[in-house]
């Protein structure tokens, strides 16, 4: 069964004047009928849409007011900002950061020339040093969101090299190095005056807040409504600044992983069939969430349970 | 966070709880299934499952349920196989219903 990579979201398709496919629903089951009868209201379609700047203000205000004891910059430390015991364990682990091997490998790979003699530095502003805080960005020529992972692969392809796996391995190591050179710099994600950029941001926002999977969770179910609470043995990280520490060494993986890797696993965990790791929709989600973290410091690479 | 955000999610959550609870129990067998009726049920479920995938609305539990139906049919247990195929169809339908509902329901969850 082949999977179609959805290149556009319905909002993006409207902008591009393409017709959205009709969804033919099968006959509803009694349980669904019960749900329909019980629902007092679906989302009010008259809810005024908000601008990205308004979203950012509301988003950061929510977390700062819900967790007044957490210093704003500390949100980038995810669950460690929420739980004292976890923080102590993390500080002990960070005596010997588990991402150190990947960092060393990434530095070496970054400096290794391609077959044509060029290097990654030839593709990026400032030779790729200290630029993590500007990713992802909306590429107006390509008409899509480009995150650091895609930028690395575009660089490789432009220099005659095969793309890397976007989830782990060499990609995670290279982007770990690039993030490390930017540690402490403040995220500054831009949404240019281009309806396609706004559509991509809105598509990511919709994905973040939409419930999915048999467990019927949205990203916000865990990382907004349940931030700081336990999910089995884990403490749920707050959504504010949640991407700032990527790529991460995750103990559960026993290896490094990119944002793409985590989004695929999040979808699987709520029993939603994940998109392909390099799907543009995941970059749209990264675009929205990264914008919500504007002003927070780059904290990658990071370590997580 | 508006009440609507909770309620619209809760209503479907109830439905999904029923679906999940049903998925944990053995599927109801009728004792009247045949190879032909199973194949009809399987084709129907497969069509719905493929539609859910095309719409990026599929659940991870749907495909394994279809696989279980195939296995039961291969063992000649058409009763069990048809019940599993019907369950897979129900899972696919629920997943598409969820996606349809979420086209608008997500807005109520947005932080303001």
């Amino acid at each position: 069964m082949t999977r179609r990579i959805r290149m556009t979201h319905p909002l993006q398709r409207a902008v591009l004047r393409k017709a959205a496919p009709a969804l033919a629903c099968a006959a509803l089951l009694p349980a669904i009928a019960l749900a329909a009868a019980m629902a007092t209201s679906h989302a009010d379609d008259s809810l005024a849409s908000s601008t990205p700047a308004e979203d950012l203000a509301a988003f950061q205000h929510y977390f700062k007011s819900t967790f007044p004891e957490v210093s704003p910059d500390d949100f980038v430390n995810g669950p460690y900002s929420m739980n004292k015991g976890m923080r102590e364990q993390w500080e002990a682990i960070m005596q010997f950061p588990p991402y150190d091997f990947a960092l060393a490998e990434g530095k070496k790979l970054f400096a290794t020339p391609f077959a044509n003699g060029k290097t990654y530095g030839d593709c990026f502003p400032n030779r790729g040093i200290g630029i993590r805080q500007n990713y992802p960005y909306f590429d107006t020529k390509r008409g899509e969101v480009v995150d650091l992972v895609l930028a690395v692969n575009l660089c490789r392809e432009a220099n005659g090299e095969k793309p890397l796996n976007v989830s782990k391995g060499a990609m995670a190591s290279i982007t770990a190095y690039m993030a490390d050179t930017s540690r402490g710099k403040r995220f500054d994600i831009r949404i240019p005056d281009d309806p396609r950029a706004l559509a991509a941001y809105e598509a990511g926002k919709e994905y973040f807040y939409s419930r999915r999977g048999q467990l019927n969770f949205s990203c916000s179910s865990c990382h907004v409504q349940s931030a700081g609470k336990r999910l089995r043995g884990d403490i749920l990280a707050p959504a504010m600044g949640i991407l700032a520490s990527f790529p991460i060494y995750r103990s559960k993986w026993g290896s490094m992983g990119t944002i793409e890797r985590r989004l695929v696993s999040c979808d699987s965990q709520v029993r939603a069939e994940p998109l392909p790791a390099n799907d543009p929709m995941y970059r749209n989600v990264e675009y929205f969430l990264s914008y919500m973290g504007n002003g927070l410091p780059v904290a990658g690479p990071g370590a997580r349970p | 966070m508006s009440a609507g955000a909770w309620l619209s999610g809760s209503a479907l959550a109830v439905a999904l709880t029923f679906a999940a609870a049903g998925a944990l129990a053995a599927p109801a067998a009728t004792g009247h299934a045949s190879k032909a009726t199973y194949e009809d049920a399987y084709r129907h479920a497969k069509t719905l499952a493929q539609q859910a995938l095309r719409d990026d609305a599929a659940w991870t539990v749907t495909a394994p349920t279809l696989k279980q139906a195939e296995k039961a049919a291969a063992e000649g247990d058409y009763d069990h196989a048809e019940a599993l195929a019907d369950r897979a169809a129900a899972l696919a339908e629920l997943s598409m219903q969820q996606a349809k509902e979420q086209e608008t329901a997500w807005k109520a969850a947005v932080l303001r």
Side-chain angles (χ1 to χ4, degrees):
Chain A
M1 197 181 293
T2 56
R3 288 295 311 280
R4 175 178 66 89
I5 294 180
R6 181 174 57 182
M7 294 304 294
T8 56
H9 174 272
L11 188 56
Q12 291 174 297
R13 289 199 290 274
V15 171
L16 297 170
R17 294 194 186 89
K18 287 181 183 176
L23 178 68
C25 289
L28 299 182
L29 299 177
I32 299 171
L34 173 62
M38 286 176 64
T40 59
S41 69
H42 289 292
D44 183 356
D45 285 336
S46 67
L47 282 170
S49 60
S50 43
T51 66
E54 288 167 343
D55 287 340
L56 172 60
F59 201 89
Q60 294 203 359
H61 172 75
Y62 170 83
F63 284 100
K64 288 173 185 173
S65 58
T66 303
F67 303 101
E69 71 283 4
V70 177
S71 77
D73 281 359
D74 202 29
F75 280 100
V76 301
N77 295 317
Y80 313 124
S81 68
M82 302 275 109
N83 182 275
K84 184 168 176 283
M86 282 198 72
R87 191 182 194 91
E88 288 169 355
Q89 289 180 38
W90 172 59
E91 287 172 347
I93 288 169
M94 290 300 279
Q95 306 264 342
F96 301 98
Y99 52 71
D100 262 357
F101 291 116
L103 202 47
E105 182 192 47
K107 185 175 180 181
K108 184 178 165 190
L109 288 170
F110 189 82
T112 302
F114 303 127
N116 66 0
K118 296 263 181 90
T119 64
Y120 289 103
D122 292 306
C123 296
F124 289 96
N126 204 39
R127 312 255 343 133
I129 302 301
I131 60 169
R132 164 72 180 98
Q133 67 281 2
N134 302 321
Y135 288 79
Y137 71 96
F138 188 82
D139 189 313
T140 51
K141 282 183 190 165
R142 294 180 63 84
E144 63 175 335
V145 173
V146 173
D147 67 350
L148 196 57
V149 162
L150 178 57
V152 165
N153 268 344
L154 289 173
C155 179
R156 291 180 62 81
E157 289 172 10
N159 288 283
E161 302 285 336
K162 287 182 187 169
L164 296 171
N165 180 306
V166 300
S167 299
K168 50 190 171 181
M171 178 62 79
S173 297
I174 291 167
T175 53
Y177 170 67
M178 294 177 79
D180 194 59
T181 67
S182 312
R183 202 179 281 275
K185 288 182 181 285
R186 304 281 162 173
F187 275 96
D188 183 22
I189 309 303
R190 308 279 178 92
I191 302 174
D193 187 17
D194 184 320
R196 297 170 302 165
L198 186 58
Y201 166 87
E202 289 290 338
K205 176 178 162 184
E206 177 175 339
Y207 198 98
F208 178 82
Y209 285 111
S210 295
R211 292 177 181 271
R212 65 192 68 255
Q214 191 190 30
L215 298 187
N216 203 37
F217 286 155
S218 63
C219 309
S220 66
S221 302
C222 289
H223 299 293
V224 174
Q225 293 143 32
S226 305
K229 297 192 174 83
R230 283 196 179 274
L231 180 66
R232 296 186 286 279
D234 294 324
I235 297 285
L236 291 164
M240 179 169 148
I242 198 168
L243 301 184
S245 296
F246 275 83
I248 55 170
Y249 180 94
R250 197 166 176 226
S251 299
K252 181 177 177 177
W253 295 331
S255 64
M256 296 288 291
T258 61
I259 291 169
E260 281 80 351
R261 184 175 184 181
R262 191 66 186 98
L263 291 175
V264 165
S265 63
C266 280
D267 275 349
S268 299
Q269 281 176 303
V270 300
R271 301 186 193 168
E273 203 58 65
L275 302 171
N278 62 349
D279 196 288
M281 182 55 77
Y282 283 153
R283 290 198 296 280
N284 292 340
V285 176
E286 185 183 341
Y287 195 37
F288 165 74
L289 258 182
S290 298
Y291 186 86
M292 292 299 104
N294 265 354
L296 295 176
V298 173
R304 291 290 184 270
Chain B
M1 178 74 55
S2 69
W6 284 106
L7 286 166
S8 64
S10 297
L12 186 58
V14 169
L16 294 174
T17 301
F18 290 151
L24 293 172
T30 63
H32 302 300
S34 66
K35 186 171 183 226
T37 61
Y38 155 71
E39 285 176 347
D40 276 347
Y42 181 87
R43 263 193 301 274
H44 176 64
K46 189 99 189 246
T47 299
L48 289 173
Q50 287 173 332
Q51 177 68 51
L53 272 175
R54 280 195 295 275
D55 295 334
D56 291 326
W59 292 348
T60 55
V61 290
T62 305
T65 305
L66 268 175
K67 287 276 182 211
Q68 286 179 318
E70 290 169 18
K71 184 168 179 286
E75 292 166 359
D77 187 352
Y78 293 113
D79 221 32
H80 189 51
E82 186 175 322
L84 283 166
D86 288 341
R87 176 180 294 167
L91 290 169
E93 285 173 335
L94 274 172
S95 72
M96 289 190 283
Q97 169 64 13
Q98 176 191 55
K100 184 72 181 166
E101 177 176 292
Q102 287 299 305
E103 283 175 8
T104 50
W106 70 273
K107 295 177 190 174
V110 173
L111 288 172
R112 292 185 163 77

